[in-house]
Amino acid sequence: MKVDIYERFFAGLAIALLVVFFGAMVVSAFGSSVVLTNPAELVDPTQLDSTPPFDQPGVREMTPGVYEAVIIASTFQYTPNEIRVPAGSTVTFRITSRDVVHGMQMTEIPFNVMLIPGQVTQATVKFDEPGEHLLICHEYCGTGHQAMYGKVIVEDAAAQGGQ
Ligand code: CUA
Protein backbone atom coordinates (compact mmCIF):
# COMPACT_ATOMS: atom_id res chain seq x y z
CA MET A 1 0.00 0.00 0.00
CA LYS A 2 1.34 3.37 -0.93
CA VAL A 3 0.70 6.22 1.51
CA ASP A 4 1.39 9.71 0.37
CA ILE A 5 4.24 11.34 2.26
CA TYR A 6 2.06 14.26 3.42
CA GLU A 7 -0.64 11.90 4.59
CA ARG A 8 1.95 9.95 6.52
CA PHE A 9 3.29 13.19 8.01
CA PHE A 10 -0.12 14.41 9.21
CA ALA A 11 -1.11 10.96 10.48
CA GLY A 12 2.08 10.92 12.53
CA LEU A 13 1.41 14.46 13.77
CA ALA A 14 -2.12 13.51 14.83
CA ILE A 15 -0.84 10.51 16.78
CA ALA A 16 1.88 12.62 18.42
CA LEU A 17 -0.75 15.20 19.48
CA LEU A 18 -2.93 12.48 20.99
CA VAL A 19 0.04 11.22 23.01
CA VAL A 20 0.82 14.78 24.20
CA PHE A 21 -2.83 15.44 25.19
CA PHE A 22 -3.14 12.13 26.99
CA GLY A 23 0.12 12.84 28.80
CA ALA A 24 -1.15 16.28 29.84
CA MET A 25 -4.30 14.66 31.20
CA VAL A 26 -2.31 12.14 33.24
CA VAL A 27 -0.01 14.85 34.59
CA SER A 28 -2.89 17.13 35.59
CA ALA A 29 -4.84 14.27 37.16
CA PHE A 30 -2.01 12.87 39.29
CA GLY A 31 0.71 15.46 39.31
CA SER A 32 -0.94 18.70 40.44
CA SER A 33 -2.71 17.68 43.65
CA VAL A 34 -6.13 17.57 42.07
CA VAL A 35 -8.21 15.50 44.46
CA LEU A 36 -11.82 14.51 44.73
CA THR A 37 -13.54 15.10 48.04
CA ASN A 38 -14.06 12.18 50.40
CA PRO A 39 -16.63 9.57 49.45
CA ALA A 40 -19.84 11.51 49.76
CA GLU A 41 -21.93 11.37 52.86
CA LEU A 42 -25.54 11.24 51.70
CA VAL A 43 -28.35 13.42 52.94
CA ASP A 44 -31.97 13.93 51.88
CA PRO A 45 -32.09 17.45 50.37
CA THR A 46 -35.81 17.77 51.20
CA GLN A 47 -35.20 17.03 54.91
CA LEU A 48 -32.28 19.38 55.65
CA ASP A 49 -34.24 21.33 58.27
CA SER A 50 -34.51 18.20 60.41
CA THR A 51 -31.17 16.58 59.54
CA PRO A 52 -28.15 17.37 61.75
CA PRO A 53 -25.92 19.22 61.28
CA PHE A 54 -27.88 21.05 58.56
CA ASP A 55 -30.80 21.79 60.90
CA GLN A 56 -28.46 24.34 62.52
CA PRO A 57 -26.23 25.89 59.85
CA GLY A 58 -23.40 28.04 61.14
CA VAL A 59 -19.94 27.94 62.68
CA ARG A 60 -19.17 25.83 65.73
CA GLU A 61 -15.93 25.57 67.68
CA MET A 62 -15.24 21.85 68.06
CA THR A 63 -11.98 22.08 70.03
CA PRO A 64 -9.84 25.21 70.64
CA GLY A 65 -8.88 26.61 67.23
CA VAL A 66 -10.79 23.95 65.32
CA TYR A 67 -14.12 24.91 63.79
CA GLU A 68 -16.86 23.31 61.75
CA ALA A 69 -18.75 25.49 59.27
CA VAL A 70 -22.08 24.00 58.19
CA ILE A 71 -23.50 25.73 55.13
CA ILE A 72 -26.54 25.14 52.92
CA ALA A 73 -26.46 26.35 49.33
CA SER A 74 -29.73 27.19 47.60
CA THR A 75 -30.86 29.44 44.77
CA PHE A 76 -29.26 31.98 45.14
CA GLN A 77 -27.54 32.15 48.48
CA TYR A 78 -25.42 30.44 51.08
CA THR A 79 -26.90 29.96 54.56
CA PRO A 80 -25.24 31.46 56.50
CA ASN A 81 -23.58 33.72 53.99
CA GLU A 82 -20.95 35.05 56.36
CA ILE A 83 -18.48 32.97 58.37
CA ARG A 84 -16.28 34.52 61.05
CA VAL A 85 -13.29 32.74 62.55
CA PRO A 86 -10.11 33.95 64.27
CA ALA A 87 -6.82 33.81 62.39
CA GLY A 88 -4.91 30.61 62.97
CA SER A 89 -8.00 28.46 63.04
CA THR A 90 -8.66 25.29 61.09
CA VAL A 91 -12.14 25.14 59.59
CA THR A 92 -13.82 22.06 58.21
CA PHE A 93 -16.57 23.06 55.83
CA ARG A 94 -19.56 20.73 55.52
CA ILE A 95 -21.81 21.94 52.75
CA THR A 96 -24.74 20.63 50.79
CA SER A 97 -27.29 21.98 48.35
CA ARG A 98 -31.01 22.24 48.95
CA ASP A 99 -31.99 22.34 45.28
CA VAL A 100 -29.70 22.35 42.25
CA VAL A 101 -25.95 21.90 41.74
CA HIS A 102 -23.99 24.88 43.03
CA GLY A 103 -20.30 25.49 43.48
CA MET A 104 -18.14 27.30 45.97
CA GLN A 105 -14.79 28.89 45.31
CA MET A 106 -12.86 30.98 47.80
CA THR A 107 -10.73 33.94 46.79
CA GLU A 108 -7.00 33.74 47.64
CA ILE A 109 -7.32 30.26 49.17
CA PRO A 110 -7.08 27.02 47.19
CA PHE A 111 -10.67 25.96 47.84
CA ASN A 112 -12.99 25.01 45.01
CA VAL A 113 -15.82 22.51 45.48
CA MET A 114 -19.05 21.30 43.91
CA LEU A 115 -22.23 21.32 46.00
CA ILE A 116 -24.58 18.58 44.92
CA PRO A 117 -28.08 17.99 46.31
CA GLY A 118 -28.09 14.74 48.26
CA GLN A 119 -24.37 14.80 49.00
CA VAL A 120 -22.27 16.44 51.70
CA THR A 121 -19.14 18.17 50.46
CA GLN A 122 -16.40 18.34 53.07
CA ALA A 123 -13.14 20.24 52.90
CA THR A 124 -10.75 21.62 55.52
CA VAL A 125 -8.95 24.96 55.32
CA LYS A 126 -6.43 26.55 57.69
CA PHE A 127 -6.73 30.34 57.88
CA ASP A 128 -3.36 31.73 58.92
CA GLU A 129 -3.77 35.39 58.00
CA PRO A 130 -6.52 37.83 58.99
CA GLY A 131 -8.55 39.07 56.05
CA GLU A 132 -11.67 38.55 54.00
CA HIS A 133 -12.31 35.90 51.39
CA LEU A 134 -15.26 35.92 49.02
CA LEU A 135 -17.15 32.69 48.51
CA ILE A 136 -18.35 32.56 44.93
CA CYS A 137 -20.77 30.17 43.26
CA HIS A 138 -18.93 29.07 40.14
CA GLU A 139 -21.52 26.65 38.83
CA TYR A 140 -24.31 28.13 36.73
CA CYS A 141 -27.41 27.51 38.86
CA GLY A 142 -30.09 29.77 37.36
CA THR A 143 -31.03 33.37 36.73
CA GLY A 144 -29.57 34.65 40.03
CA HIS A 145 -26.29 32.74 39.75
CA GLN A 146 -24.12 35.83 39.39
CA ALA A 147 -25.49 37.23 42.67
CA MET A 148 -24.69 34.13 44.70
CA TYR A 149 -21.77 34.75 47.01
CA GLY A 150 -20.77 34.76 50.66
CA LYS A 151 -17.83 35.77 52.75
CA VAL A 152 -15.30 34.33 55.18
CA ILE A 153 -13.97 36.91 57.62
CA VAL A 154 -10.75 35.88 59.33
CA GLU A 155 -10.40 38.09 62.37
CA ASP A 156 -7.13 39.18 63.87
CA ALA A 157 -7.05 37.06 67.03
CA ALA A 158 -4.72 39.49 68.85
CA ALA A 159 -6.98 42.47 68.13
CA GLN A 160 -9.96 40.82 69.82
CA GLY A 161 -8.51 41.57 73.25
CA GLY A 162 -8.50 38.55 75.52
CA GLN A 163 -11.09 36.37 73.87
CU1 CUA B 1 -25.32 28.87 42.82
CU2 CUA B 1 -24.43 29.54 40.72
Side-chain angles (χ1 to χ4, degrees), residues 72-153:
I72 298 174
S74 58
T75 49
F76 300 98
Q77 61 190 340
Y78 299 116
T79 308
N81 92 331
E82 190 178 291
I83 301 287
R84 270 174 196 272
V85 289
S89 47
T90 301
V91 182
T92 295
F93 289 84
R94 299 184 72 198
I95 320 167
T96 191
S97 167
R98 193 188 290 281
D99 37 44
V100 298
V101 176
H102 298 275
M104 186 186 275
Q105 183 172 6
M106 203 180 306
T107 51
E108 287 127 36
I109 299 268
F111 178 97
N112 184 331
V113 294
M114 299 283 293
L115 311 174
I116 302 166
Q119 297 190 7
V120 180
T121 298
Q122 185 167 318
T124 301
V125 179
K126 183 154 193 300
F127 293 98
D128 291 319
E129 302 293 329
E132 288 191 11
H133 305 282
L134 273 181
L135 298 170
I136 301 160
C137 180
H138 59 68
E139 193 66 31
Y140 183 74
C141 52
T143 51
H145 160 71
Q146 75 285 351
M148 183 167 174
Y149 64 93
K151 201 188 277 184
V152 175
I153 299 173

Side-chain angles (χ1 to χ4, degrees), residues 3-124:
V3 181
D4 185 84
I5 180 147
Y6 290 112
E7 195 171 352
R8 211 178 312 162
F9 171 75
F10 282 107
L13 191 65
I15 290 168
L17 274 178
L18 283 178
V19 170
V20 168
F21 289 157
F22 184 75
M25 230 158 55
V26 170
V27 167
S28 56
F30 298 106
S32 46
S33 318
V34 175
V35 291
L36 294 176
T37 48
N38 297 333
E41 186 187 326
L42 301 181
V43 67
D44 182 345
T46 65
Q47 302 296 322
L48 293 182
D49 293 335
S50 56
T51 308
F54 296 102
D55 55 344
Q56 289 182 310
V59 187
R60 278 178 275 283
E61 187 168 21
M62 310 306 279
T63 57
V66 177
Y67 293 80
E68 180 181 75
V70 175
I71 303 175
I72 298 174
S74 58
T75 49
F76 300 98
Q77 61 190 340
Y78 299 116
T79 308
N81 92 331
E82 190 178 291
I83 301 287
R84 270 174 196 272
V85 289
S89 47
T90 301
V91 182
T92 295
F93 289 84
R94 299 184 72 198
I95 320 167
T96 191
S97 167
R98 193 188 290 281
D99 37 44
V100 298
V101 176
H102 298 275
M104 186 186 275
Q105 183 172 6
M106 203 180 306
T107 51
E108 287 127 36
I109 299 268
F111 178 97
N112 184 331
V113 294
M114 299 283 293
L115 311 174
I116 302 166
Q119 297 190 7
V120 180
T121 298
Q122 185 167 318
T124 301

